[in-house]
Amino acid sequence: DRRRGGVFYTPPGVAAVLVALALPDDEPVDGSTVVCDPAMGGGVFLVAAAQRLHRLGLGVADCVGAVRGCDVDPAAVVVARLSLAWWAWAVSGELVRPDVDAVRRGDGLALPGADGPPAGPVTAVVGNPPFLGQLRGVTARSAALRARLQERFGDAAKGYADTAVVFLLAATELVGPGGRVVLVQPRSEEHT
């Protein structure tokens, strides 16, 4: 099931390094800073973003309020919300829950809004989207999904482009001017 869904659980240390690339020390953060993971799984990148924002000077409630994410797996959404609330409690002793619309069930490849990621623009998009190579039958997109993605992204989503690359395209639509996109991407199958 994990392989079919492109699910890989990113270690917290890796998430922290990638979030640091998206939110460098020399750039100030404030109440307008927003970080999004459009395929958040259990929320490891959201927690890493909250930790980073706290280290850069934001209060715990502001850190939790600054993260956004979605996932198609409703169980993962529950885990992500609990992970953020647990982090906030561990740091401050306060119960701070993420807004249910900010960390929610949704398709990261859908248009931002009701069925997709929370609407942007955001300061940074971080994450480890599902790797779904199109050369394997078990991970190949359905005809309906191929058509939907080609309608939205044109020729860039055509053919054998891994779904993780399509998430990269979607991320560029979420991030605001001057923002950053830091997403794990698969290596070409010819190099594995």
Side-chain angles (χ1 to χ4, degrees):
D1 285 345
R2 285 182 59 205
R3 181 169 293 185
R4 187 176 8 252
V7 176
F8 178 81
Y9 299 105
T10 308
V14 172
V17 168
L18 295 176
V19 167
L21 291 172
L23 299 170
D25 287 333
D26 60 349
E27 292 185 16
V29 297
D30 58 29
S32 67
T33 302
V34 177
V35 180
C36 181
D37 182 351
M40 70 185 174
V44 68
F45 281 91
L46 299 183
V47 171
Q51 290 171 328
R52 179 79 176 161
L53 291 167
H54 191 254
R55 187 180 155 275
L56 293 173
L58 290 186
V60 170
D62 289 335
C63 293
V64 172
V67 296
R68 309 277 186 277
C70 69
D71 202 280
V72 295
D73 181 354
V77 174
V78 171
V79 171
R81 288 177 183 160
L82 288 172
S83 295
L84 279 166
W86 178 258
W87 171 81
W89 180 83
V91 170
S92 68
E94 298 174 39
L95 179 59
V96 180
R97 295 182 180 140
D99 182 273
V100 296
D101 192 48
V103 179
R104 65 183 183 194
R105 184 171 184 199
D107 180 353
L109 295 177
L111 288 170
D115 296 328
V122 300
T123 309
V125 177
V126 296
N128 186 359
F131 292 12
L132 299 171
Q134 300 306 294
L135 296 175
R136 293 191 182 116
V138 70
T139 58
R141 291 185 279 275
S142 68
L145 180 56
R146 273 194 314 271
R148 181 173 65 94
L149 294 178
Q150 286 175 17
E151 181 180 326
R152 178 157 180 227
F153 298 107
D155 287 345
K158 206 171 184 181
Y160 299 112
D162 192 289
T163 300
V165 173
V166 183
F167 269 93
L168 185 59
L169 293 172
T172 64
E173 294 177 350
L174 288 172
V175 72
R180 288 191 168 83
V181 174
V182 181
L183 294 176
V184 177
Q185 292 291 291
R187 291 177 59 182
S188 169
E189 290 192 28
E190 66 186 56
H191 293 96
T192 57

